Amino acid sequence: MSEHVLPQTELEAWGTDVQVVVCETCDWRFVLPAETSLPRCPHCFGTELELLSGEVSELPYVAPPEQAVPFAVSEAQLTGGIETFAKGIPLPPKDLNPAALRARLQAIYLPRWWVDAEVAALWQAEVGFDYEVVSHQERYSDTVGGWQARKVHEGRVRWEPRAGRLRRTYENVMAPALEAEKALRAQFGDYDVTRARPYHVDMVRRAPVRLPDRVPAVAWADAEMALRRRAGDECRQAAKGDHIREYRWQPAYPKRNWTLLLLPAYTTYYLDDEQRPQPVLIHGQTGRVIGMRKASLKRAQRIALILGLMALIIFVLSSISLLAVAVAPPLLVLGGIGLLVGMVLGLSALAPLIVVWRFNRPRRRPQER
Amino acid sequence: MAQFPPPDFVQTDSAIVGIEVYMPAPEPDIAPQGVVDFKCPQCGATTAYSVADGGICCEHCGYYESPTREVVGKGAQEFEFKVETLERAAVGWGAQRKELVCENCQAHTSIPVEMLTYTCPFCGSNKVIQRDAAQDVLRPRFLIPFQVTLEGCQVVARQWLGSSWMVPKDLQRLAHVTDFVPIYLPFWTFDAVTTADWRAQVAHTVTERYRSGGEWKTRTRTVWRWESGNVRRLFDDLLIAGTERLSRVLIDRLIHFDLTHLTPYDPNYLAGIRAQAYDVSLEPAWAEARDAMREDTRRACRAQASNSRMRNFTMNLDFAEETWRYVLLPVYVGLFTYANQTFQVMVNGQTAAIAGQRPVDWTKVWLAIGGLLAPGVILGIIGLVTAILGIGVIIGVIGLVLFVIGAIIAFFIYQKAEGMDDV
């Protein structure tokens, strides 16, 4: 494949002047319209993006994508998703609120490899054919006085060996273009790529386009697996079968062509206790929100401290009252009650800490909301 | 994929352009449609299957051709009850007749559809007609070749005629046995596994003591206790006759074929031998087999209970792994006449088991019954007299016992005699 090194003129094919930028913190690379001022990294929100000038020709792919799945989440859906995400957190960080999340919302496109390949292969498999057999279930009862029979139809599969030769061109076979895609897809769900539309310059104007971090040579293993699945299914259809198993093939790929499919997403973030940005990702087609939902330990500590101090004061005052019983016996009741209240308050000071610790403990990985 | 296409694979239709599909070559059609005429390749005379030689023989020049098929036994392919097969089997053979033109003498003949073989009445040439079945699996695929010769069959029949004391004394000497006709009869074999869960109230006898009138007494009473269990039965090659044109009573008596000798169908085995296609189709035959299987399973369930006395017996039965085969099995059919009456006989062409009607000498039978009952009756009368005279009742008791034993034996003798001419 000669597509590893692309001329910088590929940038011109975007339909507008574009610039390639990089985040020095997370190393994510984006394509933006040239006139756009450099924003904070829409991935880690750590630093501002920097222009990547000299090394553009060394990037695996900077040509415009072939197609993109359009953004399909309404404003109401976005707002609802964000509100649900921010809801239900005990003592959330001050910054974790719908308004802040909504204000920082930024659209981006995530890339996925789209491979067209011509395949020539010999194949062998077991093809399954569905058929129905008639069986019987019967019931005997002395009281009814005989047998009652019921005919049942059971589905079965007949497996037969098949072999063949294949010469087909497969278009738009997908392979991850990001190292994080598999993990992301597991949390995020996949996209309905049938809704993809051909690339238009407005797409890059609307949102920065993330560039692949997996080169085609690495992504080929995934593409080949997808090709194998698709070829296997076509072989099943060719053999007029209903199922296929033990599919083996010896493929050759006379032609391969790599392009990109863009997938819409929104990113935003909130600042945690340590003022570190915690990224939140929103599916651009379904509105599903993922991100780390953390309760604020600092707020919990503050409340615990206040409650603890109050308890201490009450405890001290109660102790003094008890010491003064000899002088004024009615202080015994007041001192006793105060001692009790102080103890209860002291113990309840632990509650915010426990609640926050428990909430944060099982939510170490990003949660979907 | 060392070799492409793999050995014994042939190309087949593909539903997608650009993909070639190869499948294992289908087995060569054992029974191509049409009529197979049996002529000697040496002298042109009519050939036929010789049971004694176990192959095709020419009586004129001595030409012999051994069968090409090897015994597959119980490994003979079995088929599932596919919806499609059942539907097509129900169609049967129809009522039309097949028009045949003899290649030998050009004679036109019309024969019933259920006949699989035919001998031209004009020139004597043997033909095997391979019917266009509703589905390929409904053609006969396996058979057991004749192993008993015609002569052997005659010997068996003669011995059988004189083998019972109930038949007339001169039956063996005077009976005129016509020639036995070898015929392949259609049979269905069925396999299945039945699984049944049962539940019933089983009677348990409890002895208890109670006080009545100031003294202790003992009584027994029945307590009904719920019991349950499950049974799994395996049925292998249950045979059901595929024809109603011959006596089912006789067929059922000689149905014990050894299916380890099943051989793939080859028209050579049928040359010169009559053969009949099924007229009881798959579904009614399967219903009959199922009936036998479920009754067997029900008996097994009842046998599991701790007592045979039970009530509210219920069972749920599932059939599984049901398969079937359509086979041709060898039978000789013959007749003999005695005292101007005709009696049917059948001989199992594989095992030489024989079944048939025989005349009964009822005088002998009644004498035997009388002889069996007489000791009991006589001792009973003597016992009655001794009892009246006050000598004792022991003779009467012995007489009663002998009478009961005699009556039981007499009943079985009568039953057997009564069934000897059943068809």
Side-chain angles (χ1 to χ4, degrees):
Chain A
M1 201 187 77
S2 60
E3 62 268 46
H4 283 261
V5 181
L6 294 164
Q8 194 154 359
T9 52
E10 293 263 345
L11 291 174
E12 291 162 13
W14 287 80
T16 181
D17 287 343
V18 291
Q19 54 185 336
V20 179
V21 292
V22 64
C23 170
E24 293 296 339
T25 310
C26 67
D27 204 31
W28 277 39
R29 295 182 178 89
F30 299 89
V31 172
L32 302 171
E35 68 271 16
T36 314
S37 56
L38 300 182
R40 288 186 105 179
C41 171
H43 172 237
C44 68
F45 299 98
T47 50
E48 283 188 353
L49 296 169
E50 288 183 18
L51 196 63
L52 193 75
S53 50
E55 303 126 17
V56 170
S57 61
E58 288 169 25
L59 294 175
Y61 197 91
V62 287
E66 187 181 332
Q67 295 205 9
V69 176
F71 283 89
V73 185
S74 66
E75 287 295 314
Q77 256 182 302
L78 267 177
T79 309
I82 288 170
E83 278 172 357
T84 312
F85 179 82
K87 212 160 56 182
I89 304 171
L91 305 173
K94 199 177 171 186
D95 199 42
L96 177 45
N97 61 74
L101 290 169
R102 190 80 180 80
R104 293 165 187 153
L105 208 60
Q106 185 171 350
I108 60 162
Y109 280 113
L110 302 173
R112 184 178 286 176
W113 288 117
W114 237 4
V115 190
D116 299 339
E118 193 181 310
V119 185
L122 295 177
W123 63 273
Q124 231 173 6
E126 280 184 31
V127 176
F129 299 89
D130 285 340
Y131 65 96
E132 270 196 339
V133 295
V134 176
S135 187
H136 287 82
Q137 289 173 347
E138 312 211 359
R139 184 179 161 77
Y140 178 86
S141 172
D142 274 347
T143 47
V144 176
W147 290 94
Q148 290 170 306
R150 195 164 70 91
K151 205 184 256 190
V152 283
H153 285 212
E154 288 174 4
R156 293 195 187 161
V157 181
R158 184 183 71 255
W159 293 98
E160 291 182 10
R162 291 286 185 275
R165 215 184 328 247
L166 170 151
R167 190 164 193 104
R168 300 270 296 163
T169 300
Y170 295 100
E171 291 183 344
N172 303 337
V173 174
M174 288 184 280
L178 299 176
E179 292 294 348
E181 184 177 318
K182 277 178 191 167
L184 208 58
R185 200 189 305 181
Q187 300 164 35
F188 220 27
D190 205 357
Y191 286 84
D192 178 8
V193 297
T194 58
R195 297 185 179 275
R197 300 280 173 270
Y199 168 75
H200 188 269
V201 67
D202 287 346
M203 290 171 174
V204 72
R205 283 190 185 130
R206 175 169 184 185
V209 175
R210 164 85 159 97
L211 286 175
D213 61 6
R214 286 182 99 215
V215 295
V218 176
W220 173 241
D222 295 295
E224 196 177 25
M225 266 171 60
L227 274 168
R228 186 179 180 279
R229 271 198 301 276
R230 210 189 275 188
D233 191 53
E234 282 200 347
C235 289
R236 174 191 63 76
Q237 290 173 43
K240 297 167 191 165
D242 302 298
H243 314 272
I244 193 160
R245 69 181 184 191
E246 303 288 329
Y247 184 77
R248 284 175 290 145
W249 72 338
Q250 284 178 349
Y253 306 98
K255 279 185 199 166
R256 277 180 273 180
N257 181 42
W258 293 77
T259 54
L260 283 181
L261 166 73
L262 298 184
L263 307 169
Y266 293 96
T267 60
T268 181
Y269 68 97
Y270 66 89
L271 297 171
D272 64 10
D273 283 348
E274 284 77 37
Q275 298 304 301
R276 282 188 311 235
Q278 292 291 333
V280 177
L281 210 55
I282 302 165
H283 196 292
Q285 213 174 18
T286 63
R288 190 176 289 184
V289 185
I290 59 165
M292 189 82 85
R293 297 170 76 231
K294 286 173 83 175
S296 171
L297 192 60
K298 273 190 178 169
R299 281 183 69 188
Q301 285 168 340
R302 213 173 298 139
I303 293 168
L305 192 67
I306 291 166
L307 289 172
L309 281 172
M310 283 167 66
L312 188 68
I313 291 164
I314 292 168
F315 188 79
V316 170
L317 288 174
S318 304
S319 302
I320 293 167
S321 303
L322 286 175
L323 287 172
V325 165
V327 183
L331 284 176
L332 179 66
V333 178
L334 195 65
I337 292 169
L339 211 58
L340 203 67
V341 170
M343 276 172 68
V344 170
L345 211 58
L347 285 174
S348 66
L350 293 173
L353 295 171
I354 293 168
V355 167
V356 167
W357 174 76
R358 277 179 60 86
F359 183 82
N360 286 349
R361 191 184 54 162
R363 290 170 170 76
R364 286 289 174 218
R365 60 188 175 78
Q367 292 298 303
E368 176 200 314
R369 271 280 149 165
Chain B
M1 265 169 266
Q3 191 186 341
F4 186 85
D8 303 325
F9 271 53
V10 292
Q11 192 165 3
T12 183
D13 291 346
S14 168
I16 290 185
V17 178
I19 300 181
E20 292 172 16
V21 182
Y22 291 79
M23 62 182 285
E27 283 188 14
D29 201 350
I30 297 159
Q33 303 304 319
V35 177
V36 182
D37 214 337
F38 287 89
K39 274 185 183 174
C40 176
Q42 286 181 178
C43 67
T46 298
T47 55
Y49 182 79
S50 162
V51 178
D53 300 321
I56 291 282
C57 284
C58 174
E59 285 185 357
H60 285 255
C61 66
Y63 170 79
Y64 172 75
E65 190 184 321
S66 63
T68 52
R69 301 277 169 186
E70 285 182 4
V71 173
V72 289
K74 290 174 91 70
Q77 190 186 1
E78 291 168 333
F79 301 95
E80 292 173 294
F81 287 90
K82 291 184 186 172
V83 176
E84 188 191 12
T85 307
L86 285 174
E87 282 167 1
R88 294 201 183 172
V91 174
W93 300 97
Q96 82 276 24
R97 295 171 71 83
K98 186 168 177 86
E99 298 300 318
L100 275 186
V101 180
C102 179
E103 280 183 16
N104 212 31
C105 65
Q106 304 303 311
H108 286 248
T109 324
S110 165
I111 60 161
V113 282
E114 69 275 7
M115 293 309 295
L116 294 173
T117 57
Y118 169 70
T119 300
C120 176
F122 302 100
C123 67
S125 60
N126 292 326
K127 296 161 203 318
V128 172
I129 305 141
Q130 299 181 109
R131 297 279 179 203
D132 191 5
Q135 206 181 26
D136 194 51
V137 291
L138 294 168
R139 283 194 292 107
R141 305 289 286 257
F142 301 96
L143 54 80
I144 294 177
F146 275 91
Q147 284 160 30
V148 178
T149 61
L150 206 54
E151 294 74 32
C153 191
Q154 290 280 4
V155 172
V156 168
R158 280 276 161 210
Q159 284 173 352
W160 173 74
L161 282 173
S163 66
S164 173
W165 62 268
M166 291 184 203
V167 299
K169 198 177 174 184
D170 55 358
L171 176 67
Q172 199 172 19
R173 189 167 48 84
L174 296 180
H176 174 69
V177 183
T178 59
D179 275 348
F180 277 94
V181 177
I183 181 166
Y184 279 106
L185 292 183
F187 281 87
W188 302 99
T189 76
F190 296 103
D191 286 6
V193 176
T194 58
T195 320
D197 296 320
W198 65 271
R199 194 164 184 264
Q201 281 183 307
V202 181
H204 292 263
T205 307
V206 177
T207 307
E208 56 189 18
R209 296 188 73 204
Y210 68 100
R211 208 170 163 80
S212 171
E215 57 184 71
W216 284 99
K217 290 181 180 174
T218 312
R219 69 180 170 200
T220 56
R221 66 183 181 93
T222 301
V223 177
W224 295 94
R225 289 188 193 139
W226 282 105
E227 287 185 17
S228 61
N230 53 66
V231 161
R232 188 171 186 269
R233 303 282 288 172
L234 243 87
F235 296 92
D236 182 30
D237 289 330
L238 183 70
L239 274 172
I240 300 289
T243 182
E244 283 181 335
R245 289 172 199 274
L246 291 168
S247 159
R248 286 299 292 268
V249 174
L250 299 188
I251 290 175
D252 286 346
R253 282 186 199 162
L254 46 82
I255 207 165
H256 302 290
F257 287 90
D258 179 4
L259 296 179
T260 58
H261 288 91
L262 276 176
T263 306
Y265 170 90
D266 186 332
N268 283 353
Y269 289 116
L270 274 62
I273 298 172
R274 285 192 195 179
Q276 204 176 333
Y278 67 83
D279 52 77
V280 175
S281 72
L282 179 58
E283 197 146 15
W286 173 224
E288 193 182 330
R290 264 197 342 266
D291 195 31
M293 289 174 182
R294 69 190 187 184
E295 281 307 319
D296 180 278
T297 312
R298 189 167 71 101
R299 278 195 297 274
C301 287
R302 294 185 76 102
Q304 269 191 349
S306 57
N307 191 338
S308 60
R309 231 179 107 210
M310 59 183 81
R311 68 184 187 188
N312 293 327
F313 176 83
T314 57
M315 65 182 274
N316 292 317
L317 188 154
D318 271 356
F319 283 89
E321 296 168 39
E322 306 104 309
T323 55
W324 61 274
R325 271 196 222 107
Y326 172 35
V327 297
L328 295 178
L329 300 179
V331 169
Y332 285 99
V333 179
L335 296 171
F336 70 88
T337 52
Y338 175 79
N340 293 328
Q341 274 188 295
T342 306
F343 299 88
Q344 269 189 47
V345 193
M346 283 189 199
V347 177
N348 184 316
Q350 183 193 27
T351 63
I354 188 165
Q357 294 174 292
R358 280 182 287 186
V360 179
D361 188 342
W362 282 104
T363 315
K364 279 193 203 174
V365 173
W366 286 122
L367 278 174
I369 290 172
L372 282 165
L373 296 177
V377 172
I378 293 164
L379 284 179
I381 292 165
I382 295 169
L384 194 66
V385 173
T386 55
I388 291 164
L389 294 175
I391 298 167
V393 293
I394 187 75
I395 299 170
V397 172
I398 294 168
L400 186 67
V401 170
L402 284 178
F403 181 79
V404 171
I405 293 169
I408 291 167
I409 298 170
F411 175 76
F412 284 111
I413 288 173
Y414 179 80
Q415 284 281 93
K416 196 176 176 191
E418 188 69 17
M420 278 182 79
D421 57 355
D422 279 355
V423 180

